[in-house]
Amino acid sequence: MKNLNWNKFLGFSPKKGASLTLLVWLYFAVPAAAQLELVPIYPQAGTAALQKAGRTQVLKLPFFDDFSTSRTTPDPAVWMPGSGVYINNTLTTTHPSINIATFDGLNASGVPYNILNEQAQGDSDTLTSQPIDLSGLSAADSVYLSFYWQARGLGELPDAVDTFRLEFLNQKGDWIAVWKKSGGQFDTLYQQTFIPIRDAAFMHAGFQFRFRAYGRSSGAYDTWHLDYIYLNKNRSIRDRFIKDVAVRQPLTPFLKRYSAMPLDQYWQAPEAETADSIRTDVVNLFNNFNFTSYTFTIRDELTGQQIQRYQEPLSVFIGAGQTQRKAVALRPIARQAGVKQLRLKLKFDLLTTDDQNPTIPSVNLRRNDTISTFTELADYYAYDDGSAEFGVRMNQRLGRTVVRFVLNRPDTLGGVRMALIPFRKNISGQNFTIQVWSSANGKPNQVIHQQSVRLSYPTTRNGFVDYPFSNGVAVTDTFYVGWLQISEDALSVGFDRNSQLGSSQLFTNLSQEWNQNLDLKGSVMIRPYMGGKDNGIVTGSEPLPALEVRVYPNPTDGTIRWDSDLIRQIEVYSVQGNRLKVIVPGDGVREATLHNLPEGLYILRITDGQRTAVQKIVLRK
């Protein structure tokens, strides 16, 4: 790890000689027996080709970009190519509108600027505007550049010696620093900054400005974030508000327990697997109230079929500077004959008048009113949203790390996909062991499959490496999949800090005891997939008859009974998907109590060890 930056990321200064690894454990409260740590990301060399620097025609005022129309790289119509910044909507939470530009120690190819020296410091990501015509203007025209910025976010906190600066290009071709911010301090909110342009040396036809980070140049360290950049004349320091209502936060998952799951598994219990609602937030950036409404749609991208549509019936008041949460109730998807896969596009479209009488002439601020996400119901399980903010690794040889998954019916594993991330050095070609474990008493029990594989890195940022199993692996109910660290050089797997779905599903083991993660908030990017073929070695993968069991009375005053001696476990979930209680009945036992739970609707997940049934029950005391 970066010796200094972990300390500043954690927000304290250790005494001289203190163990850095120990400080990481203290902060994240990971049990000492489970040496699992978060590490910065080192994308693999060659993940993207550097674009050749080039210029478009000179731009006219106004200049505006909130990155809402970009994907992973800045818009070449307004920015010089090859900047190295990463456009995303996941590395901060309080940004002005959808998407931000993140600066770190990785270049435009996703490679550290200095891959040979881990302690190297220097200029790193630089975002440079295309030329802008400021000729004929003077200080009297009151030209201002405004922007929002933040240090760290969900990345790593810059040191006090690290900087984020703004530079202007004068008529002589010199870059002049006009603003600079040092690291070392973390604020959860974005700050808005105004910079006047008064010097005649900048009032020329080829004016450019650039943002540049200085810090550790050997990886994704010292992160700064930038958003909502606006340059125009006839402005003032008081010109802080723009008539714009924008979407911001990523849409929450369609599924209750996962971000993706096999379609056949989903259709075994669609009501239990579908989230109650999908949510995002909207923000009013103006200093006056407004009224908005929205539409929400779900469409299968493979067939074009519209699955759900909702339109808010009335416009809703939103106050000046106010943020509002929006939620839409979701409907489970009924089984469709012959359908093997669904790729759901969930789209939230905020209906505003931002394109009418705009604050920024010639800029249509409806551009940041739409946000969408995809949910795959295909062949695999996932807890992550597809973006890695950090890596996670087991730094002890022979340590084991696994993630728990729960089936709705017996199936056969075909392999696993892993978002492998370089840390410190390239260890591609090194062997490690993938393991699949059965379950007992809520923890891994026995290895039912293990396979030695060679580590390789994905070819794109946030990509996955596919490791197919040599034989299909039969799994019945709950299983765990992960890796055994067999080398001193630990492998790192992507860690999604935005999705909390997998936080409680992570387990580690250094000897004979499994420890469940209670403190690392996020999801390991490991995705087991179904579809393995039974070659005669693996048995039991054929679907069994449905588990028939009746739980009664319903409603109940606290005591439940069932009509089968085969039941081995009953999990009690809230309607929000939180597991509240696990009942493990003894031989011949056919009743249990729910008296410690409050009144309400609950979901029971009942298993005999091979088959699963899902039922709802109402508790009324």
Side-chain angles (χ1 to χ4, degrees), residues 425-479:
K425 64 180 180 180
N426 186 332
I427 59 172
S428 58
Q430 172 183 290
N431 286 337
F432 70 98
T433 301
I434 294 175
Q435 294 184 325
V436 181
W437 291 71
S438 64
S439 180
N441 301 318
K443 290 187 177 182
N445 182 32
Q446 294 181 335
V447 175
I448 57 176
H449 178 79
Q450 62 180 3
Q451 184 171 322
S452 179
V453 297
R454 289 187 179 273
L455 186 147
S456 62
Y457 295 117
T459 57
T460 59
R461 186 164 187 158
N462 295 323
F464 286 78
V465 178
D466 188 355
Y467 290 105
F469 291 159
S470 53
N471 301 312
V473 179
V475 284
T476 56
D477 179 39
T478 299
F479 69 93

Side-chain angles (χ1 to χ4, degrees), residues 407-517:
L407 300 170
N408 289 325
R409 73 161 183 84
D411 212 328
T412 304
L413 287 175
V416 63
R417 302 177 183 116
M418 303 176 68
L420 296 169
I421 295 170
F423 173 64
R424 284 188 172 171
K425 64 180 180 180
N426 186 332
I427 59 172
S428 58
Q430 172 183 290
N431 286 337
F432 70 98
T433 301
I434 294 175
Q435 294 184 325
V436 181
W437 291 71
S438 64
S439 180
N441 301 318
K443 290 187 177 182
N445 182 32
Q446 294 181 335
V447 175
I448 57 176
H449 178 79
Q450 62 180 3
Q451 184 171 322
S452 179
V453 297
R454 289 187 179 273
L455 186 147
S456 62
Y457 295 117
T459 57
T460 59
R461 186 164 187 158
N462 295 323
F464 286 78
V465 178
D466 188 355
Y467 290 105
F469 291 159
S470 53
N471 301 312
V473 179
V475 284
T476 56
D477 179 39
T478 299
F479 69 93
Y480 304 77
V481 62
W483 68 95
L484 170 66
Q485 178 61 47
I486 60 177
S487 172
E488 296 294 341
D489 295 323
L491 65 93
S492 299
V493 182
F495 189 77
D496 175 15
R497 295 186 67 188
N498 294 285
S499 173
Q500 307 298 310
L501 295 172
S503 295
S504 61
Q505 311 303 326
L506 178 62
F507 294 77
T508 55
N509 190 330
L510 279 180
S511 55
Q512 300 300 318
E513 181 180 358
W514 285 98
N515 296 293
Q516 184 178 14
N517 170 58

Side-chain angles (χ1 to χ4, degrees), residues 154-168:
L154 296 179
E156 201 228 12
L157 182 67
D159 284 312
V161 297
D162 301 326
T163 61
F164 187 50
R165 63 186 189 271
L166 170 65
E167 299 173 338
F168 290 166

Side-chain angles (χ1 to χ4, degrees), residues 62-237:
F63 179 102
F64 176 82
D65 196 9
D66 63 350
F67 306 107
S68 61
T69 60
S70 302
R71 291 187 177 270
T72 58
T73 58
D75 183 357
V78 292
W79 301 104
M80 300 293 290
S83 67
V85 302
Y86 172 44
I87 308 301
N88 66 93
N89 199 44
T90 59
L91 275 165
T92 64
T93 59
T94 60
H95 39 292
S97 67
I98 179 175
N99 288 357
I100 56 172
T102 295
F103 295 67
D104 55 24
L106 303 173
N107 67 19
S109 296
V111 181
Y113 286 95
N114 191 324
I115 201 169
L116 301 177
N117 180 4
E118 184 184 346
Q119 303 301 319
Q121 295 277 128
D123 289 328
S124 53
D125 282 347
T126 302
L127 181 63
T128 306
S129 73
Q130 292 283 356
I132 305 165
D133 186 4
L134 298 187
S135 61
L137 299 178
S138 67
D141 291 294
S142 192
V143 181
Y144 275 84
L145 174 68
S146 63
F147 53 92
Y148 287 80
W149 64 275
Q150 184 188 50
R152 180 184 157 182
L154 296 179
E156 201 228 12
L157 182 67
D159 284 312
V161 297
D162 301 326
T163 61
F164 187 50
R165 63 186 189 271
L166 170 65
E167 299 173 338
F168 290 166
L169 184 69
N170 65 19
Q171 286 180 310
K172 296 180 180 179
D174 301 321
W175 287 102
I176 308 299
V178 296
W179 175 85
K180 183 172 72 173
K181 196 68 180 178
S182 297
Q185 294 183 343
F186 172 59
D187 190 341
T188 58
L189 299 178
Y190 271 73
Q191 298 185 44
Q192 187 181 28
T193 296
F194 274 70
I195 304 297
I197 304 179
R198 299 191 179 103
D199 193 330
F202 302 131
M203 304 297 187
H204 60 96
F207 170 79
Q208 290 176 278
F209 65 90
R210 71 183 184 188
F211 292 91
R212 171 170 282 193
Y214 175 93
R216 186 65 57 85
S217 56
S218 56
Y221 299 114
D222 306 323
T223 53
W224 303 87
H225 311 282
L226 182 68
D227 199 9
Y228 222 84
I229 303 164
Y230 175 33
L231 171 66
N232 205 0
K233 61 183 179 179
N234 300 324
R235 301 187 68 195
S236 74
I237 194 68

Side-chain angles (χ1 to χ4, degrees), residues 604-616:
L604 304 181
R605 194 169 183 282
I606 310 160
T607 178
D608 64 356
Q610 292 183 306
R611 298 168 296 173
T612 299
V614 178
Q615 297 186 18
K616 293 180 180 179

Side-chain angles (χ1 to χ4, degrees), residues 9 13 33 45 64 235 337 351 387-389 403 409 604:
F9 170 74
S13 299
F64 176 82
R235 301 187 68 195
L351 304 177
S387 66
E389 285 70 52
V403 178
R409 73 161 183 84
L604 304 181

Side-chain angles (χ1 to χ4, degrees), residues 1-30 35-40 42 118-119 156-157 159 216 221 390 393 395-396 423-424:
M1 288 181 294
K2 179 182 172 184
N3 293 339
L4 292 177
N5 276 46
W6 269 112
N7 303 330
K8 52 189 175 131
F9 170 74
L10 301 179
F12 49 72
S13 299
K15 295 181 180 179
K16 183 177 181 180
S19 166
L20 177 61
T21 301
L22 176 60
L23 292 174
V24 174
W25 306 151
L26 289 175
Y27 179 78
F28 289 112
V30 179
Q35 299 291 300
L36 201 65
E37 62 182 0
L38 296 183
V39 295
Y42 283 70
E118 184 184 346
Q119 303 301 319
E156 201 228 12
L157 182 67
D159 284 312
R216 186 65 57 85
Y221 299 114
F390 270 79
R393 69 174 190 164
N395 71 351
Q396 297 293 317
F423 173 64
R424 284 188 172 171

